[in-house]
Short mmCIF file of all heavy atoms in Angstrom, two decimals:
data_model
loop_
_atom_site.label_atom_id
_atom_site.label_comp_id
_atom_site.label_asym_id
_atom_site.label_seq_id
_atom_site.Cartn_x
_atom_site.Cartn_y
_atom_site.Cartn_z
N PHE W 31 -2.52 0.27 -23.14
CA PHE W 31 -3.22 0.78 -24.32
C PHE W 31 -4.03 -0.31 -25.01
O PHE W 31 -5.18 -0.11 -25.40
CB PHE W 31 -2.23 1.40 -25.30
CG PHE W 31 -1.64 2.70 -24.87
CD1 PHE W 31 -0.30 2.98 -25.09
CD2 PHE W 31 -2.42 3.66 -24.24
CE1 PHE W 31 0.25 4.19 -24.68
CE2 PHE W 31 -1.89 4.87 -23.83
CZ PHE W 31 -0.54 5.14 -24.06
N VAL W 32 -3.43 -1.49 -25.15
CA VAL W 32 -4.09 -2.59 -25.85
C VAL W 32 -5.29 -3.10 -25.05
O VAL W 32 -6.41 -3.22 -25.59
CB VAL W 32 -3.11 -3.74 -26.12
CG1 VAL W 32 -3.85 -4.97 -26.66
CG2 VAL W 32 -2.03 -3.31 -27.11
N LEU W 33 -5.08 -3.40 -23.78
CA LEU W 33 -6.15 -4.02 -22.99
C LEU W 33 -7.28 -3.05 -22.68
O LEU W 33 -8.41 -3.48 -22.43
CB LEU W 33 -5.57 -4.59 -21.70
CG LEU W 33 -4.53 -5.70 -21.88
CD1 LEU W 33 -4.11 -6.26 -20.53
CD2 LEU W 33 -5.07 -6.82 -22.76
N ASN W 34 -7.00 -1.75 -22.72
CA ASN W 34 -8.05 -0.77 -22.47
C ASN W 34 -8.62 -0.18 -23.75
O ASN W 34 -9.40 0.78 -23.71
CB ASN W 34 -7.52 0.36 -21.58
CG ASN W 34 -7.25 -0.11 -20.16
OD1 ASN W 34 -8.03 -0.87 -19.60
ND2 ASN W 34 -6.15 0.35 -19.57
N ASN W 35 -8.21 -0.76 -24.89
CA ASN W 35 -8.72 -0.32 -26.19
C ASN W 35 -8.57 1.19 -26.39
O ASN W 35 -9.50 1.88 -26.79
CB ASN W 35 -10.18 -0.72 -26.36
CG ASN W 35 -10.37 -2.21 -26.41
OD1 ASN W 35 -9.63 -2.91 -27.11
ND2 ASN W 35 -11.33 -2.72 -25.66
N ALA W 36 -7.39 1.70 -26.04
CA ALA W 36 -7.16 3.14 -26.14
C ALA W 36 -7.22 3.58 -27.60
O ALA W 36 -6.72 2.91 -28.50
CB ALA W 36 -5.80 3.49 -25.55
N THR W 37 -7.85 4.71 -27.83
CA THR W 37 -7.94 5.26 -29.18
C THR W 37 -6.82 6.27 -29.41
O THR W 37 -6.26 6.82 -28.46
CB THR W 37 -9.30 5.95 -29.39
OG1 THR W 37 -9.44 7.00 -28.42
CG2 THR W 37 -10.43 4.96 -29.22
N GLY W 38 -6.50 6.51 -30.66
CA GLY W 38 -5.49 7.50 -30.99
C GLY W 38 -4.07 7.02 -30.80
O GLY W 38 -3.13 7.82 -30.86
N VAL W 39 -3.88 5.73 -30.54
CA VAL W 39 -2.54 5.17 -30.36
C VAL W 39 -2.32 4.10 -31.43
O VAL W 39 -3.10 3.17 -31.55
CB VAL W 39 -2.39 4.54 -28.96
CG1 VAL W 39 -0.98 3.97 -28.78
CG2 VAL W 39 -2.68 5.57 -27.88
N LYS W 40 -1.25 4.26 -32.21
CA LYS W 40 -0.98 3.32 -33.30
C LYS W 40 -0.13 2.17 -32.79
O LYS W 40 1.06 2.33 -32.49
CB LYS W 40 -0.27 4.04 -34.45
CG LYS W 40 -1.15 5.07 -35.15
CD LYS W 40 -0.44 5.71 -36.32
CE LYS W 40 -1.34 6.72 -37.04
NZ LYS W 40 -0.65 7.35 -38.20
N ILE W 41 -0.76 1.00 -32.69
CA ILE W 41 -0.06 -0.21 -32.26
C ILE W 41 -0.33 -1.28 -33.30
O ILE W 41 -1.48 -1.49 -33.70
CB ILE W 41 -0.57 -0.67 -30.88
CG1 ILE W 41 -0.28 0.41 -29.83
CG2 ILE W 41 0.09 -1.99 -30.47
CD1 ILE W 41 -0.86 0.11 -28.47
N SER W 42 0.71 -1.96 -33.74
CA SER W 42 0.56 -2.93 -34.83
C SER W 42 -0.32 -4.09 -34.40
O SER W 42 -0.43 -4.42 -33.21
CB SER W 42 1.94 -3.46 -35.25
OG SER W 42 2.49 -4.27 -34.23
N ALA W 43 -0.93 -4.71 -35.40
CA ALA W 43 -1.78 -5.87 -35.13
C ALA W 43 -0.99 -7.00 -34.51
O ALA W 43 -1.49 -7.73 -33.65
CB ALA W 43 -2.44 -6.34 -36.43
N GLU W 44 0.29 -7.13 -34.91
CA GLU W 44 1.13 -8.18 -34.35
C GLU W 44 1.35 -7.97 -32.85
O GLU W 44 1.23 -8.90 -32.05
CB GLU W 44 2.49 -8.20 -35.07
CG GLU W 44 3.44 -9.27 -34.53
CD GLU W 44 4.80 -9.22 -35.21
OE1 GLU W 44 5.03 -8.30 -36.02
OE2 GLU W 44 5.62 -10.10 -34.91
N THR W 45 1.66 -6.71 -32.48
CA THR W 45 1.88 -6.41 -31.06
C THR W 45 0.59 -6.59 -30.27
O THR W 45 0.61 -7.15 -29.16
CB THR W 45 2.40 -4.97 -30.89
OG1 THR W 45 3.66 -4.86 -31.56
CG2 THR W 45 2.58 -4.63 -29.42
N ARG W 46 -0.52 -6.13 -30.82
CA ARG W 46 -1.80 -6.32 -30.14
C ARG W 46 -2.06 -7.81 -29.90
O ARG W 46 -2.48 -8.21 -28.81
CB ARG W 46 -2.94 -5.73 -30.96
CG ARG W 46 -3.01 -4.22 -30.95
CD ARG W 46 -4.20 -3.69 -31.73
NE ARG W 46 -4.21 -2.25 -31.75
CZ ARG W 46 -4.74 -1.49 -30.80
NH1 ARG W 46 -5.31 -2.06 -29.75
NH2 ARG W 46 -4.71 -0.17 -30.90
N GLY W 47 -1.79 -8.60 -30.89
CA GLY W 47 -2.02 -10.04 -30.75
C GLY W 47 -1.14 -10.65 -29.68
O GLY W 47 -1.59 -11.50 -28.89
N LYS W 48 0.12 -10.22 -29.63
CA LYS W 48 1.04 -10.74 -28.60
C LYS W 48 0.57 -10.37 -27.20
O LYS W 48 0.63 -11.18 -26.28
CB LYS W 48 2.44 -10.19 -28.84
CG LYS W 48 3.17 -10.81 -30.03
CD LYS W 48 4.58 -10.22 -30.16
CE LYS W 48 5.33 -10.86 -31.32
NZ LYS W 48 6.68 -10.27 -31.47
N VAL W 49 0.09 -9.13 -27.05
CA VAL W 49 -0.36 -8.68 -25.74
C VAL W 49 -1.59 -9.47 -25.30
O VAL W 49 -1.68 -9.96 -24.16
CB VAL W 49 -0.67 -7.17 -25.76
CG1 VAL W 49 -1.41 -6.75 -24.48
CG2 VAL W 49 0.60 -6.37 -25.92
N ILE W 50 -2.54 -9.61 -26.20
CA ILE W 50 -3.77 -10.33 -25.87
C ILE W 50 -3.49 -11.79 -25.54
O ILE W 50 -4.01 -12.35 -24.57
CB ILE W 50 -4.79 -10.21 -27.02
CG1 ILE W 50 -5.26 -8.75 -27.13
CG2 ILE W 50 -5.98 -11.15 -26.80
CD1 ILE W 50 -6.08 -8.46 -28.37
N GLU W 51 -2.61 -12.40 -26.33
CA GLU W 51 -2.26 -13.81 -26.08
C GLU W 51 -1.53 -13.95 -24.75
O GLU W 51 -1.78 -14.90 -23.98
CB GLU W 51 -1.40 -14.34 -27.22
CG GLU W 51 -0.98 -15.80 -27.05
CD GLU W 51 -2.17 -16.74 -26.90
OE1 GLU W 51 -3.22 -16.46 -27.51
OE2 GLU W 51 -2.05 -17.74 -26.16
N ALA W 52 -0.62 -13.03 -24.45
CA ALA W 52 0.10 -13.08 -23.18
C ALA W 52 -0.85 -12.93 -22.01
O ALA W 52 -0.76 -13.64 -21.00
CB ALA W 52 1.17 -11.99 -23.14
N ALA W 53 -1.78 -11.98 -22.12
CA ALA W 53 -2.75 -11.77 -21.04
C ALA W 53 -3.60 -13.01 -20.82
O ALA W 53 -3.86 -13.41 -19.68
CB ALA W 53 -3.63 -10.56 -21.37
#
Side-chain angles (χ1 to χ4, degrees):
F31 288 140
V32 171
L33 298 184
N34 291 319
N35 295 314
T37 59
V39 181
K40 293 183 179 180
I41 298 174
S42 69
E44 179 183 5
T45 298
R46 286 183 182 275
K48 287 182 178 179
V49 169
I50 292 170
E51 180 57 33

